[in-house]
Amino acid sequence: LHSQPVLGHDHHGANMNFDTGEPIDGVLKAHIALMSISFGILFPIGLVLGLRKNRWHVPVQSVGGIIAIIGFILGHAHGGRAFHENAHSKFSWFMLWLLAGQLAAGIYLKLHTERRFNDRLRPFIKIAHKYMAITMVISTYVQVLLGVVAWLGYCYDGYFGQCLAHLIMGSSFLAYGVWLLLLVRLATPWLARFGRSPELYDSIMIMVWGLFNTFTEHGFVEEAHGWSHKDLQHTSLGVIWFCGGLLSTYMLRKSGPSERSLFPAIILIFTGCAMGSHEQDSEFSTQVHFVFGLSLGLAGFTRCVEIMLITTGLIKTDRKEPNPFQYIPVFFLCHSGMMFMSGNRENVKAMIGIGIDIGTFSLGYLSITFLLFFYAYFLMQLFS
């Protein structure tokens, strides 16, 4: 998220003071708007249309590509506020080359060269085109996040480690929520074909993530000086995730789609309880973590209720449309991820300085969660 100053670009100067009052000029605003339209709206919709083999796939992707190129140029031509060299500007080059590869593969496929000669490359380019599009959606989320960090000037100096932890863990809960939404909306035939319990995949992810967290929460990014209560709690949560995930994975290793497990949901409940009582440097930060823990605990509790309703036959999984209750755990998971990302120390200090109370703060991030949930649901609805 941060690097040493590089003086190669004047508009990315080494000014470390992000409160100079310099305005965001019109060129930079246009860059933000165009990139949001192309990468945030058109490319994901184009991906879904391509998977459905819809005739609008090529026009949507083409318009998105043109807008993205214009936005990229504007991002390196703005005046106004100067930005320190950052990961957002560096990652943009990866995004540019990914976009170029995606468009080149799309043009190649559109030429239908197999009609004129034996095209042995086409099957491989078709696969590459599909997975580059999926990578583009994930990379877009990362780039937007890095853009917000660059705009706000977060994650520099001594704040890097805790900022990175909040962004990664919050994004993980958000991704978990989107994964559950995908299972609820689209994946029932896929699960039946593979003959596995839905919680098996949850358990494997929880186990792997717990193992990663156990060894990265203390002294992995920054040099550690002793063990604080936060280090101990974060590491112990990693241990719980690994042990609980291992248990659930082993129990479900031979289970079919109809066999379910409550252990992934129970792990979420205990994690939410622990984070809800997590002591922080300020009262506001403690309240933010309480709301995060409450949402995560509710996600686990409602997931338990959902599974019990399914196993008792009160919710039918063979219906075309999911039961409305099945969206509740998904939403709480997404909201917990947004709240955890918002709880980094610099953001909390900024909110305290502005004078925003915890109620307004929570409602604001609740609104963002509704928008993200709407967009994910819209894309899956478009696919189905």
Side-chain angles (χ1 to χ4, degrees), residues 184-242:
V184 169
R185 284 293 310 162
L186 302 174
T188 300
W190 178 76
L191 290 171
R193 187 167 66 251
F194 280 88
R196 297 293 185 180
S197 169
E199 280 72 48
L200 175 65
Y201 306 100
D202 296 31
S203 303
I204 293 173
M205 288 190 294
I206 288 173
M207 179 181 65
V208 172
W209 193 245
L211 184 64
F212 176 79
N213 256 26
T214 299
F215 295 102
T216 57
E217 283 292 346
H218 180 72
F220 184 75
V221 176
E222 297 173 331
E223 185 179 354
H225 302 283
W227 285 78
S228 67
H229 77 280
K230 293 182 181 180
D231 292 332
L232 290 169
Q233 190 173 47
H234 292 164
T235 303
S236 64
L237 285 173
V239 174
I240 290 172
W241 277 52
F242 171 73

Side-chain angles (χ1 to χ4, degrees), residues 93-320:
W93 289 100
F94 168 78
M95 296 290 291
L96 181 66
W97 286 110
L98 183 62
L99 173 61
Q102 171 74 353
L103 293 178
I107 293 171
Y108 184 90
L109 294 173
K110 193 64 178 176
L111 293 175
H112 291 288
T113 53
E114 79 282 359
R115 296 174 182 174
R116 292 185 289 277
F117 57 88
N118 185 16
D119 187 358
R120 296 183 179 180
L121 287 177
R122 184 177 180 83
F124 300 101
I125 294 178
K126 190 174 182 180
I127 294 172
H129 182 62
K130 174 182 176 180
Y131 284 100
M132 279 193 292
I134 296 172
T135 304
M136 181 78 75
V137 174
I138 300 172
S139 300
T140 295
Y141 170 79
V142 174
Q143 181 68 337
V144 169
L145 207 58
L146 293 176
V148 173
V149 168
W151 188 0
L152 298 174
Y154 289 171
C155 304
Y156 287 90
D157 300 329
Y159 293 105
F160 178 65
Q162 63 86 32
C163 182
L164 188 64
H166 276 86
L167 293 179
I168 292 177
M169 286 300 296
S171 297
S172 300
F173 287 120
L174 190 60
Y176 191 6
V178 174
W179 163 256
L180 287 184
L181 180 61
L182 185 66
L183 292 182
V184 169
R185 284 293 310 162
L186 302 174
T188 300
W190 178 76
L191 290 171
R193 187 167 66 251
F194 280 88
R196 297 293 185 180
S197 169
E199 280 72 48
L200 175 65
Y201 306 100
D202 296 31
S203 303
I204 293 173
M205 288 190 294
I206 288 173
M207 179 181 65
V208 172
W209 193 245
L211 184 64
F212 176 79
N213 256 26
T214 299
F215 295 102
T216 57
E217 283 292 346
H218 180 72
F220 184 75
V221 176
E222 297 173 331
E223 185 179 354
H225 302 283
W227 285 78
S228 67
H229 77 280
K230 293 182 181 180
D231 292 332
L232 290 169
Q233 190 173 47
H234 292 164
T235 303
S236 64
L237 285 173
V239 174
I240 290 172
W241 277 52
F242 171 73
C243 296
L246 178 64
L247 168 65
S248 186
T249 301
Y250 184 78
M251 292 177 66
L252 296 172
R253 70 193 188 283
K254 297 181 180 179
S255 299
S258 62
E259 298 179 65
R260 311 299 294 265
S261 173
L262 296 176
F263 282 111
I266 291 173
I267 292 170
L268 293 181
I269 293 173
F270 279 112
T271 304
C273 292
M275 296 305 296
S277 59
H278 198 20
E279 284 295 327
Q280 298 295 309
D281 299 334
S282 66
E283 180 63 26
F284 189 91
S285 182
T286 301
Q287 291 173 334
V288 170
H289 281 75
F290 172 76
V291 176
F292 157 66
L294 180 63
S295 291
L296 192 59
L298 286 172
F301 175 74
T302 52
R303 180 75 169 156
C304 285
V305 174
E306 176 200 355
I307 292 172
M308 288 189 289
L309 292 176
I310 291 173
T311 53
T312 55
L314 295 177
I315 289 181
K316 305 294 183 182
T317 56
D318 55 355
R319 295 172 51 193
K320 185 176 180 181

